[in-house]
Each structure stands twice: as structure tokens, then as C-alpha cells.
Amino acid sequence: QVRLVESGGGLVQAGDSLRLSCAASGHTFSDLMMAWFRQLPGKEREFVGWINRSGSSTYYADSLKGRFTVSRDNAKNTAYLQMNSLKSEDTAVYYCAASPSSFGIRASIYDYWGQGTQVTVSS
């Protein structure tokens, strides 16, 4: 059973940067495709970005490309989401997710999820 634990959320001001971490256990980390999602207040969970097993490929939601960066350190069993130039519209609960088999932007394809970490951006 894969366990994912996010950390690094908090309250920041617009324009600030924040890095979220997702620590994985219970599976060979390099076998997992990792992704980040977020859930804005009153909205359904939406795709942020994914990174392949080796870290050689990434993909982002168009609206976040250039501000958000997904990375991973397989030696540390950890994925990251670097968020720059944060806006009040980025306020959400952020989740990491993992799949041993699938790529995609739909939340339903991911088998494992973290508990989420709250990011609040004040304007």
C-alpha cells in the first residue's frame, strides 16, 4: 500500500513562493508516476502537473505553466511542487497523487493520494 504525505503548505502573501513536498512509502518510488492536484474552494479537484518515473518529462495545466514546477528526487522518495508568483486564486488544498501504470490529467486514474495540504494566498 502506497502512502503519500504532503507538507509545506501555509499562509503566504501574493507574489510569494512556496515549495510543497510529497513523501512516499510502501512502493518503489521510481515505479510511480507522480502528479499534483488542487481543490479550490467550492470547486472540484483539478490537475496541476505530473512528472514521469525518471523525472525526464513533465506536463502542466496551461494556466500554471511557467509558475509551477513539478520535480522529484527518487533517492529521497519525494516529489515536489514549486509554486512561484502565487496569486490569491491559487488558494486551495493541494494533493499529491501516484499511479504505478497511468499518465493523465484526470484524478480518477490515480490510485494513491495524500491527505492534502492547505495553501492560502492573501491578496
Side-chain angles (χ1 to χ4, degrees):
Q1 180 66 42
V2 174
R3 296 179 179 87
L4 305 175
V5 180
E6 301 99 334
S7 61
L11 175 64
V12 298
Q13 293 183 323
D16 285 354
S17 296
L18 199 62
R19 189 181 74 163
L20 307 182
S21 298
C22 175
S25 62
H27 197 282
T28 302
F29 184 67
S30 59
D31 287 343
L32 297 172
M33 200 272 280
M34 301 296 297
W36 288 90
F37 290 78
R38 68 184 186 181
Q39 190 163 15
L40 277 64
K43 307 289 284 187
E44 295 189 7
R45 197 167 299 185
E46 67 180 29
F47 171 75
V48 172
W50 59 246
I51 186 166
N52 72 344
R53 294 174 178 85
S54 68
S56 62
S57 295
T58 56
Y59 182 81
Y60 301 94
D62 286 343
S63 63
L64 303 177
K65 195 177 303 180
R67 288 200 301 124
F68 285 20
T69 303
V70 180
S71 62
R72 67 192 295 160
D73 186 340
N74 286 351
K76 296 182 178 179
N77 294 342
T78 302
Y80 304 94
L81 178 66
Q82 177 68 44
M83 303 183 291
N84 297 327
S85 301
L86 284 163
K87 307 172 182 178
S88 61
E89 300 96 309
D90 297 319
T91 294
V93 178
Y94 284 75
Y95 299 89
C96 68
S99 173
S101 59
S102 300
F103 287 82
I105 65 173
R106 295 187 300 275
S108 61
I109 73 170
Y110 292 90
D111 302 294
Y112 306 106
W113 294 84
Q115 83 286 355
T117 185
Q118 176 72 45
V119 173
T120 302
V121 184
S122 62
S123 59

